Amino acid sequence: VISVKDLRGQESLAALRHLRQQHFGEVEDDSVLLEVLKISGGRLSRLNVLSREKNILEATEHMLRDEKGWLLSVIGLIPNCDGDVIE
């Protein structure tokens, strides 16, 4: 069993910067990368997927919507439902 931990702060920023440089030969401003990290966290698999996208912010927002949709479908919440409808 191999345990892989999420990266923290500066490690995740350095990794994302390195991956963007590797895939596109250039790196966005740190403020853009920090926004991506604020939403996505330091999981290497996600950073790798996001780093390959041309518009990394748009891809991050898309990932967030997908994850939210999946979570809502798994836990069975009914959005915008009045309490008396359930009773």
Side-chain angles (χ1 to χ4, degrees):
V1 175
I2 297 174
S3 178
V4 178
K5 298 184 184 213
D6 292 350
L7 299 177
R8 297 180 187 250
Q10 290 300 317
E11 291 176 320
S12 57
L13 180 61
L16 187 55
R17 193 182 295 127
H18 174 75
L19 289 168
R20 291 297 282 181
Q21 179 69 37
Q22 185 178 12
H23 295 302
F24 293 104
E26 58 186 39
V27 179
E28 290 85 356
D29 187 53
D30 278 357
S31 63
V32 173
L33 299 180
L34 288 171
E35 183 66 25
V36 169
L37 292 172
K38 187 171 123 181
I39 295 171
S40 67
R43 184 151 298 160
L44 280 174
S45 60
R46 287 210 178 118
L47 293 179
N48 189 32
V49 169
L50 291 172
S51 70
R52 296 170 189 265
E53 297 292 333
K54 197 72 165 158
N55 187 336
I56 194 168
L57 279 176
E58 185 179 304
T60 303
E61 293 294 331
H62 185 265
M63 179 202 70
L64 182 62
R65 284 191 304 274
D66 284 352
E67 291 289 325
K68 183 179 179 182
W70 175 84
L71 182 62
L72 289 174
S73 71
V74 169
I75 60 176
L77 290 179
I78 303 171
N80 301 325
C81 185
D82 293 335
D84 60 341
V85 173
I86 295 174
E87 296 171 5

